[in-house]
Amino acid sequence: MKHLRILTYVAEVARHGAIRRAAERLNITPSALTRQIQDLEYELGTPIFERVAQGMRLNAAGELLVRHIRDQRADLERVRSQIADLSGVRRGHVALACSQAFVNHVVPDEVEAYRAQFPQVTFTVQVRDHVQAVAALAQFEADLALVLQPPPSAEMQVLFSCRQTLCALVRAGHPLARETGPVRLRDCLAHPMALPDRSLAIRHHFDEALARRGSPLGAVIESSSLEFLRNLVLREDVVSLQVPSGIPDDPRLRSRPIDARDLGPMSLILAQLRGRTLPVATAKFADRFAGSLHQRYGGAGASDT
């Protein structure tokens, strides 16, 4: 695999934007790394980095080369996984990006079940929201993404999709907990709101509904952490927002779906990068995950949209 070493060097310099930081990461000297980059540029007949005051920045040729590097790494991982399968032992690594709503039990359940059957398969789980998760697929930082309401992307191939109703989340002693069934948005807004901030898809969905109604918003707390908001709900008579897949089984919490007349459901998407052939271990996990999500929530299977 020696031919991939220089490609790894280029990828690290591109990631860190500086020779010294990349060299520390690669455990080589900055001068040695500089020579490797210069030799490659000489071989290609063109520079691949712009030398700027802030460090090193890929030029157009470098961007093409880095995409090639990502393709090569992904293809090598796929071949390694296929070779391992020939021996009857499934090995491999699965990189998953997921929204916070799925880290409480959905993703841990699936990883546990898969590793119980194939213990030599390793996982990386990155908590990223809708926009960042799609970017992680495009940059080969994740093999799969499980997200809420991702932006439209021609690069994303949907493996599973369904709809989830946004819920008002309160503690058991809250006035809204005295009834069951759907709750009107105006009744939620009559109480102090503890909301996800605008980095999260839930907040974007909620803000769109408010804009259509022309309703004022008086959030007393905003946070990028759904876990923090759930803990705050247990301490104060505030109303927060969550989808069912993110609500833990806690008798101290109550949730009520927000009435569909006020707020439509959100999309839940499991996706991969379009056109990418996944390694065996990842592809098998993706198939199993999509089937499990269908059992949990219903919805649609693989799609090209």
Side-chain angles (χ1 to χ4, degrees), residues 78-92 280:
R78 178 180 59 82
V79 171
R80 280 174 169 164
S81 184
Q82 289 174 335
I83 291 171
D85 259 31
L86 290 176
S87 67
V89 178
R90 180 163 299 165
R91 294 186 178 91
V280 174

Side-chain angles (χ1 to χ4, degrees), residues 222-277:
E222 296 184 4
S223 176
S224 62
S225 169
L226 297 182
E227 182 180 4
F228 168 79
L229 293 172
R230 285 195 299 268
N231 279 288
L232 187 68
V233 164
L234 292 171
R235 289 165 170 79
E236 294 189 31
D237 276 338
V238 294
V239 180
S240 193
L241 301 172
Q242 184 58 276
V243 291
S245 57
I247 300 174
D249 186 13
D250 188 329
R252 299 172 297 168
L253 292 172
R254 297 287 186 274
S255 66
R256 294 177 61 186
I258 297 177
D259 196 296
R261 291 172 289 180
D262 300 326
L263 191 63
M266 299 184 71
S267 59
L268 182 161
I269 300 291
L270 175 67
Q272 71 166 81
L273 184 65
R274 184 181 299 279
R276 180 179 175 187
T277 302

Side-chain angles (χ1 to χ4, degrees), residues 62-285:
E63 293 283 358
L64 289 174
L65 181 61
V66 166
R67 178 162 286 277
H68 168 72
I69 291 169
R70 290 168 178 162
D71 290 342
Q72 289 291 304
R73 284 178 167 177
D75 198 50
L76 178 60
E77 183 61 31
R78 178 180 59 82
V79 171
R80 280 174 169 164
S81 184
Q82 289 174 335
I83 291 171
D85 259 31
L86 290 176
S87 67
V89 178
R90 180 163 299 165
R91 294 186 178 91
H93 183 77
V94 180
L96 174 66
C98 71
S99 297
Q100 292 183 55
F102 309 114
V103 300
N104 188 57
H105 56 84
V106 176
V107 170
D109 287 352
E110 295 304 318
V111 172
E112 177 191 21
Y114 196 71
R115 280 186 42 76
Q117 187 174 0
F118 305 109
Q120 297 192 61
V121 176
T122 58
F123 282 81
T124 299
V125 178
Q126 311 164 37
V127 179
R128 300 196 179 183
D129 210 67
H130 54 319
V131 176
Q132 295 83 5
V134 173
L137 290 179
Q139 295 167 11
F140 285 68
E141 294 175 1
D143 306 313
L144 302 169
L146 180 67
V147 288
L148 290 170
Q149 208 91 349
S153 172
E155 294 185 305
M156 189 171 65
Q157 180 181 342
V158 176
L159 306 176
F160 171 84
S161 66
C162 70
R163 309 287 281 176
Q164 289 216 327
T165 301
L166 197 58
C167 296
L169 185 67
V170 296
R171 64 178 175 178
H174 192 279
L176 291 183
R178 295 169 188 164
E179 298 182 25
T180 59
V183 60
R184 297 303 299 264
L185 188 55
R186 61 175 177 265
D187 296 328
C188 296
L189 295 174
H191 299 274
M193 303 290 292
L195 297 177
D197 69 18
R198 289 178 175 82
S199 68
L200 303 183
I202 289 175
R203 179 61 179 274
H204 285 273
H205 191 64
F206 185 68
D207 283 352
E208 288 172 3
L210 290 182
R212 289 192 298 269
R213 291 171 53 88
S215 301
L217 176 63
V220 297
I221 296 289
E222 296 184 4
S223 176
S224 62
S225 169
L226 297 182
E227 182 180 4
F228 168 79
L229 293 172
R230 285 195 299 268
N231 279 288
L232 187 68
V233 164
L234 292 171
R235 289 165 170 79
E236 294 189 31
D237 276 338
V238 294
V239 180
S240 193
L241 301 172
Q242 184 58 276
V243 291
S245 57
I247 300 174
D249 186 13
D250 188 329
R252 299 172 297 168
L253 292 172
R254 297 287 186 274
S255 66
R256 294 177 61 186
I258 297 177
D259 196 296
R261 291 172 289 180
D262 300 326
L263 191 63
M266 299 184 71
S267 59
L268 182 161
I269 300 291
L270 175 67
Q272 71 166 81
L273 184 65
R274 184 181 299 279
R276 180 179 175 187
T277 302
L278 296 175
V280 174
T282 308
K284 296 295 187 184
F285 176 75

